[in-house]
Amino acid sequence: MKWTLAGVTIHANNPSSNTASALSAASIPTHPGAAAASLDTAAASLDRGNVAETVIAVSALTTGEEPIMDQEILHDLFIEQIRDLYDAEKQLVKALPKLAKAAESEELSDAIRQHMEETQNQVARLEQVFESVEVTAKGKPCKGMKGLLEEGNEAVTEEDKGTLRDLAIIAAAQRVEHYEIAGYGTARTLAEHLGLNDAAELLEQTEEEEKQADTKLTEVATSLYESSDEEEETDVETDEAEMAGAGSSRGRTSPSSKNASRRKR
Ligand SMILES: [Fe+2]
């Protein structure tokens, strides 16, 4: 791999010295106060093909000002984020079977079971992310997911099995999905910024799955609303038919009812 900086070609085999040559060839003076580490950072950024990071590092070399954000700190933040997600997904793997069982709607329990399989794959995918950055896969207790799952559990215990409980389960599950979409979006953006392209790609796959799971839950909720509306209409029609039936049977014995019945006609 090679790049061009200030008109000078930089080869991957020695980006550090080539970056220095490029700057001097382009008569870009290195600031006397520039941290020596900035040259390494610029070279490492080029090595990863991260243009944004390179610009920041080269700017630090020429102005003598420290980069706004140390990439190492951002890397630590990234690891912390994926550890949080790893724990969150593991909590979800344990919780989803109970939610699937508690649902009355077959469509909802199928959707939850399907997402449970996806969640197991997402745990494995996060392990690949850890591997791609050569860090041991380890979770950091995710309090957010714990709280969301506690709320989901309340929906199950507070409502009897039925449409209302199903809708409460969906409400809790969609909160979980949105929480995960936010977490994966942040981790993916960090990975992109750090030039961790493999990790970014893996995280984006899961982010898309979470979005699809959220859409699926909206579809299930919509069909639950529709079927409960239909049921209500059928109930109203049945009630009306029963009332009309009761009216006509009363009509056979009561003259006033007969008159009322005639008036209706
Ligand atoms: Fe997930």
Side-chain angles (χ1 to χ4, degrees):
M1 251 179 121
K2 62 183 184 183
W3 308 270
T4 303
L5 176 69
V8 174
T9 302
I10 297 166
H11 295 274
N13 55 6
N14 194 355
S16 189
S17 80
N18 285 317
T19 306
S21 320
L23 290 170
S24 101
S27 307
I28 299 172
T30 303
H31 195 279
S38 293
L39 184 59
D40 292 337
T41 309
S45 312
L46 277 165
D47 196 28
R48 289 199 292 268
N50 189 324
V51 176
E53 198 182 290
T54 309
V55 169
I56 293 170
V58 169
S59 150
L61 272 170
T62 54
T63 62
E65 286 168 13
E66 280 300 299
I68 301 163
M69 187 66 78
D70 187 324
Q71 299 299 304
E72 240 176 75
I73 294 172
L74 281 185
H75 195 272
D76 289 349
L77 179 64
F78 172 71
I79 301 301
E80 199 176 299
Q81 294 295 311
I82 57 172
R83 282 187 170 152
D84 190 282
L85 285 167
Y86 190 56
D87 182 76
E89 296 289 17
K90 284 188 153 187
Q91 287 187 46
L92 205 50
V93 167
K94 280 189 202 157
L96 285 174
K98 193 179 169 189
L99 286 184
K101 213 173 152 195
E104 183 187 58
S105 149
E106 212 171 298
E107 197 185 357
L108 177 58
S109 56
D110 285 351
I112 296 173
R113 281 197 189 94
Q114 190 199 328
H115 193 55
M116 196 173 72
E117 279 174 34
E118 276 173 353
T119 306
Q120 282 161 343
N121 289 337
Q122 290 167 357
V123 170
R125 198 176 285 139
L126 277 170
E127 283 161 3
Q128 282 177 263
V129 173
F130 280 112
E131 211 179 304
S132 76
V133 290
E134 295 170 7
V135 171
T136 310
K138 198 171 87 178
K140 173 190 169 221
C142 177
K143 294 176 198 138
M145 181 60 84
K146 191 169 177 257
L148 289 170
L149 291 175
E150 275 169 11
E151 283 191 4
N153 201 35
E154 275 174 21
V156 172
T157 50
E158 284 174 7
E159 301 291 345
D160 289 335
K161 201 165 194 169
T163 307
L164 195 60
R165 184 199 268 180
D166 285 356
L167 290 170
I169 291 173
I170 292 174
Q174 285 195 292
R175 278 192 170 85
V176 166
E177 290 314 318
H178 281 255
Y179 183 75
E180 288 190 301
I181 291 165
Y184 278 101
T186 301
R188 174 185 51 81
T189 309
L190 262 170
E192 281 167 1
H193 179 75
L194 290 164
L196 306 169
N197 299 333
D198 290 346
E201 212 173 287
L202 289 161
L203 293 164
E204 194 176 7
Q205 279 177 39
T206 302
E207 190 184 343
E208 284 309 310
E209 280 179 3
E210 309 293 21
K211 285 180 184 169
Q212 281 164 19
D214 178 54
T215 305
K216 178 70 196 166
L217 287 166
T218 301
E219 284 169 11
V220 178
T222 306
S223 78
L224 284 176
Y225 288 130
E226 279 168 2
S227 59
S228 76
D229 284 350
E230 277 166 22
E231 262 172 42
E232 205 174 307
E233 272 171 32
T234 314
D235 286 350
V236 169
E237 279 166 18
T238 311
D239 286 351
E240 281 176 355
E242 277 174 9
M243 279 171 74
S248 65
S249 86
R250 273 199 307 273
R252 280 194 288 276
T253 54
S254 151
S256 63
S257 290
K258 204 186 264 176
N259 289 344
S261 168
R262 273 194 200 121
R263 276 201 296 275
K264 263 188 191 167
R265 271 189 230 123

